[in-house]
Amino acid sequence: ESDTASEISFQLNRHKKTPSIGSHSSDMASVSSVSGSVLSVYSGDFGSVDAQGTVEFALDYDEKNREFQVHVSQCKDLAVVDEKKGRSDPYVKTYLLPDKARMGKRKTSVKKRTVNPIYNEVLRYKIEKMVLLIQKLNLSVWHNDPLGRNSFLGEIEIDLASWDWSNRKLNWYPLKPRSLSAVNGVDHRGVMSLSIKYVPPGSLGKWPKNPPSGEVHIWVKDVKDLLQLRPSGVDSFVKCYVLPDTSKKSYQKTRVIKRDTNPVFNHTIVYDGFHTEDLKDACVELTVWDHEKLTNHFLGGIRLGLGTGLSYGISVDWMDSTQEEVAFWQEMMLAANEWIEGLLPLRSL
């Protein structure tokens, strides 16, 4: 299935010059594979204390209200963050993994100046039981800092598919240090297989100035190991923009592949209107989304560019390509008219 060709205007903010970029897309055929596992990710941890102590909680599912309930009772013998004052101000935070953002975090109140906090609070998630059973519960304890420099005190992770739901009693669990993946900031969202190519102006010969302006070709092949948000899988599609242009005319997308965490798209998009010097200031953003009737859910994305933080001399937050993404883009810039193949991990943008 192909998108129809459309003319788009690409605002480059460079010397008031506005090249005209056209885009079209089509299907191609190639499949490559990669596999991985879902890992959790953490942010905002400024502490260096070792995890210790225990947490008491119970889990329940309210069938009538379709609600998952985490009854957080108390913690004991937590690590001391401020040794001079001998104090910690702990609170408990929960996520449902693999997709932290979708269900959001829940957290208890903060208990000040104690390593043995008592909460007796219930953290609630409105979620279908079948969906809950493909999640993991991540429960972590944190020291609250007024300036937001919170310190990690320990965690426990529970696979809800194997949980004994007849067990509604409060039980004690030892708090564990973060996994190596968390320390390294790994947030596995899947891997995209794609190829890109740059065709400089006039490089194809045959007749003068063919093509009349430079072209960037983007061939989205497939994605492996997407986050599974429902038992039936995921209905995914890929969006594409060439930043800094975020207008509707710049927007291209693939078709939706239903009920598949390993969708094959085989879809190409071509943007023209590129001068060779534009490649260092533009950025191709590819994002994967789960399609639903009311709203689409972000699954992960990549940004292809030089990652300099600047676009035409202006500081922008989207010029944040990873080392892998930058190397992929640079290889394309150095090898005109050649398809450059890559496997790039999806990430939060």
Side-chain angles (χ1 to χ4, degrees):
E1 184 180 335
S2 303
D3 288 347
T4 56
S6 62
E7 290 298 317
I8 69 171
S9 173
F10 183 25
Q11 296 290 339
L12 295 177
N13 300 321
R14 180 172 58 88
H15 308 306
K16 297 184 179 178
K17 192 172 182 179
T18 309
S20 172
I21 285 193
S23 67
H24 61 272
S25 51
S26 62
D27 289 332
M28 300 181 75
S30 176
V31 179
S32 59
S33 64
V34 69
S35 64
S37 60
V38 176
L39 303 171
S40 56
V41 67
Y42 296 77
S43 61
D45 175 21
F46 292 90
S48 58
V49 298
D50 293 328
Q52 69 175 60
T54 55
V55 58
E56 185 185 41
F57 64 90
L59 305 183
D60 194 14
Y61 186 79
D62 183 338
E63 300 280 358
K64 182 179 178 181
N65 294 312
R66 296 178 178 176
E67 186 177 77
F68 175 49
Q69 300 172 349
V70 184
H71 178 192
V72 181
S73 174
Q74 59 183 317
C75 300
K76 278 188 178 177
D77 303 322
L78 296 176
V80 175
V81 174
D82 189 337
E83 291 188 0
K84 288 183 179 179
K85 297 180 180 178
R87 98 180 246 184
S88 292
D89 297 343
Y91 67 96
V92 175
K93 179 170 66 175
T94 60
Y95 281 111
L96 289 179
L97 304 174
D99 188 5
K100 286 172 46 173
R102 177 168 178 142
M103 294 303 297
K105 68 183 175 186
R106 306 287 187 271
K107 56 184 183 179
T108 66
S109 57
V110 176
K111 302 301 179 183
K112 294 191 175 183
R113 298 180 182 85
T114 179
V115 293
N116 300 297
I118 297 174
Y119 298 102
N120 286 324
E121 297 178 35
V122 179
L123 307 179
R124 305 171 189 273
Y125 291 86
K126 287 285 187 182
I127 185 172
E128 296 290 339
K129 182 73 172 286
M130 286 185 68
V131 179
L132 182 66
L133 294 180
I134 58 172
Q135 314 283 315
K136 290 183 179 180
L137 172 69
N138 178 272
L139 183 149
S140 54
V141 184
W142 296 77
H143 162 72
N144 181 69
D145 183 89
L147 300 177
R149 299 174 67 85
N150 298 335
S151 299
F152 175 82
L153 299 179
E155 73 166 5
I156 180 170
E157 201 162 282
I158 290 176
D159 187 345
L160 297 176
S162 57
W163 181 255
D164 177 10
W165 293 97
S166 65
N167 173 20
R168 298 183 177 87
K169 294 180 180 178
L170 290 166
N171 287 297
W172 287 98
Y173 302 88
L175 290 167
K176 298 178 181 180
R178 289 177 300 168
S179 63
L180 183 62
S181 62
V183 173
N184 292 334
V186 176
D187 180 16
H188 189 86
R189 292 173 169 265
V191 182
M192 180 180 290
S193 171
L194 74 163
S195 291
I196 55 175
K197 176 171 66 172
Y198 177 61
V199 181
S203 64
L204 298 182
K206 295 183 183 179
W207 61 83
K209 290 206 168 182
N210 177 31
S213 67
E215 297 176 349
V216 172
H217 296 234
I218 305 147
W219 175 6
V220 181
K221 297 178 182 179
D222 59 57
V223 181
K224 291 286 186 282
D225 201 25
L226 282 175
L227 295 175
Q228 183 167 327
L229 303 184
R230 295 181 296 278
S232 60
V234 61
D235 299 343
S236 63
F237 67 98
V238 178
K239 291 183 185 180
C240 183
Y241 285 100
V242 179
L243 303 173
D245 188 6
T246 57
S247 70
K248 288 184 178 180
K249 291 181 179 179
S250 162
Y251 171 57
Q252 290 287 318
K253 67 175 182 177
T254 68
R255 66 190 184 278
V256 176
I257 305 295
K258 294 188 175 181
R259 296 180 295 279
D260 196 344
T261 55
N262 301 294
V264 177
F265 296 102
N266 289 324
H267 190 101
T268 58
I269 300 168
V270 177
Y271 288 94
D272 59 29
F274 271 93
H275 298 278
T276 302
E277 61 267 26
D278 293 328
L279 296 176
K280 69 180 187 298
D281 291 295
C283 173
V284 171
E285 181 181 83
L286 294 161
T287 52
V288 186
W289 298 78
D290 174 45
H291 176 71
E292 290 195 49
K293 288 182 180 179
L294 297 179
T295 183
N296 297 320
H297 296 283
F298 175 74
L299 298 175
I302 60 175
R303 288 190 178 129
L304 306 177
L306 292 185
T308 59
L310 297 174
S311 175
Y312 301 98
I314 299 170
S315 179
V316 291
D317 57 6
W318 45 261
M319 262 296 197
D320 65 347
S321 298
T322 64
Q323 288 184 333
E324 288 176 279
E325 293 164 351
V326 170
F328 189 48
W329 190 250
Q330 286 176 329
E331 192 176 351
M332 179 201 74
M333 292 172 66
L334 294 171
N337 293 311
E338 291 184 21
W339 283 108
I340 307 301
E341 294 186 28
L343 280 171
L344 293 173
L346 300 178
R347 59 186 175 97
S348 301
L349 297 180

